[in-house]
Amino acid sequence: MWRRLRSRPSAVAAAAVLGLLVVLALAAPLLAALEGQTPNAFHDDLVDSARGGVPLGSFGGVSADHWLGVEPGTGRDLFVRLLYGARISLLVAAGATVLQLAIGIAVGLAAGLGSRFADGLLGRITDVMVALPMLVIAIALTAVVSEDFPRPLLLVLVLGLLGWGGTSRVVRAQVLTLKKLDFVAAARLGGSGRWRVARRELLPSLAAPVVTYASILLPSNIVAEASLSFLGIGVKPPTPSWGQMLSSAQTWFRADPTYVLLPSALLFVTVLAFTVLGEALRGALDPREASRLRVGTRSGSGFGSRLGSRFGSGFGSRKVRKGKAV
């Protein structure tokens, strides 16, 4: 799998981008100290109060002390806030994805291995969860919860508890297919119980589809967190968030385009890298795809072509009429 993954330049590039982003997010305090800034320090002297708070200087106030400029109106360092915003986005997305996978795998296994009644009941519950408008319900839940509750944890719980339906469907479909195979039947004949079969035989076989689906859930959760923060019901100020920065940038996109472009570009690149890596993982974890892609792509790989090249007679293209070759 790693060999097939490394052979895809797009996967290597996406993994490098995501690895760099994770390293920068983890090293945010160190990089902030290196620049000599903090995410919530105001610098009123770096904005033009006569123009409503537009940063002084070109490109949003880029300077040796502020590597990507400053935030309009407040003068807070944009580079540091972007790094801390990456921490929030990745943390919320990863936590929500883990919760979605845990619930989805448990429900999918129970539905696939349970009785007909249990399968039907869990299937209807899953259908309801898939049909629910997750963003609308998330807006309602985050709006009524107390402001003292940690917002990143609240977003993890809301996104995780509402978004496991797709994982459950994928796992159930795989379990229904796998439990008919010989190795599962052999484990049952050997005396293994239902949940031992699930733990020892089915879960390892579910790794490929679950990992692939997780690579799809992660960028979706990043976008969901940014959307909720953009609407003002996600992460609250002064905690930085990409969605929150985009929300406040609506009034500054003409006066300071840099403030709009930087968080939106980071959000776009992150989601694109996760999507490309997820597609590459799907292909690398499915050896049949590589074999399907190889069929018919190599010149001289067909049966008739091999015989023709060996005997020099174009055996594969001969016409047969009345039992004689002509």
Side-chain angles (χ1 to χ4, degrees):
M1 186 272 290
W2 289 114
R3 183 173 64 253
R4 289 192 294 269
L5 194 61
R6 290 197 302 268
S7 66
R8 297 174 179 240
S10 59
V12 175
V17 169
L18 293 176
L20 177 62
L21 180 65
V22 171
V23 170
L24 290 176
L26 293 175
L30 179 62
L31 293 173
L34 183 64
E35 193 190 23
Q37 304 295 332
T38 59
N40 298 319
F42 286 70
H43 301 280
D44 296 333
D45 56 323
L46 298 178
V47 295
D48 188 356
S49 58
R51 298 174 57 195
V54 177
L56 298 173
S58 58
F59 301 105
V62 174
S63 64
D65 295 327
H66 303 278
W67 299 342
L68 293 180
V70 296
E71 189 178 57
T74 62
R76 293 180 293 192
D77 186 80
L78 195 54
F79 173 72
V80 177
R81 290 186 63 79
L82 286 172
L83 292 182
Y84 278 88
R87 281 186 145 195
I88 294 296
S89 297
L90 294 177
L91 179 63
V92 170
T97 302
V98 170
L99 186 57
Q100 289 169 351
L101 292 178
I103 299 175
I105 290 173
V107 175
L109 280 173
L113 293 175
S115 62
R116 187 186 298 264
F117 174 77
D119 186 17
L121 177 62
L122 293 175
R124 299 295 79 74
I125 295 175
T126 301
D127 292 341
V128 171
M129 297 304 299
V130 172
L132 286 176
M134 186 179 69
L135 190 60
V136 175
I137 297 177
I139 291 173
L141 291 177
T142 52
V144 300
V145 175
S146 173
E147 296 289 340
D148 297 331
F149 195 87
R151 284 288 156 165
L153 178 58
L154 177 62
L155 291 177
V156 169
L157 293 176
V158 169
L159 296 177
L161 294 176
L162 294 176
W164 54 266
T167 307
S168 175
R169 282 184 168 179
V170 171
V171 171
R172 176 186 175 274
Q174 292 292 321
V175 169
L176 291 177
T177 301
L178 291 171
K179 72 178 185 178
K180 299 177 182 178
L181 300 182
D182 293 338
F183 72 96
V184 177
R188 287 184 172 179
L189 290 174
S192 297
R194 181 175 299 176
W195 298 113
R196 180 179 175 86
V197 170
R199 187 178 69 255
R200 298 288 299 273
E201 308 296 338
L202 295 179
L203 281 179
S205 301
L206 291 171
V210 167
V211 169
T212 303
Y213 197 71
S215 64
I216 300 174
L217 288 175
L218 262 170
S220 301
N221 289 328
I222 290 176
V223 173
E225 182 276 328
S227 302
L228 292 173
S229 297
F230 179 85
L231 295 173
I233 54 177
V235 178
K236 297 294 185 181
T239 305
S241 169
W242 291 347
Q244 180 193 114
M245 296 170 72
L246 286 174
S247 178
S248 60
Q250 293 181 91
T251 57
W252 301 100
F253 70 95
R254 293 184 183 274
D256 186 15
T258 305
Y259 186 46
V260 183
L261 291 176
L262 286 175
S264 58
L266 276 175
L267 185 62
F268 171 76
V269 169
T270 303
V271 173
L272 179 63
F274 271 117
T275 304
V276 171
L277 186 59
E279 178 64 22
L281 276 173
R282 185 187 65 82
L285 290 169
D286 185 9
R288 292 173 296 179
E289 181 183 358
S291 63
R292 287 194 296 266
L293 292 175
R294 286 196 297 267
V295 171
T297 58
R298 296 180 181 177
S299 59
S301 61
F303 177 74
S305 300
R306 290 197 298 270
L307 289 177
S309 62
R310 174 173 295 184
F311 297 108
S313 59
F315 181 81
S317 60
R318 287 187 177 184
K319 296 182 180 179
V320 178
R321 184 175 61 192
K322 293 183 180 180
K324 296 181 180 180
V326 295

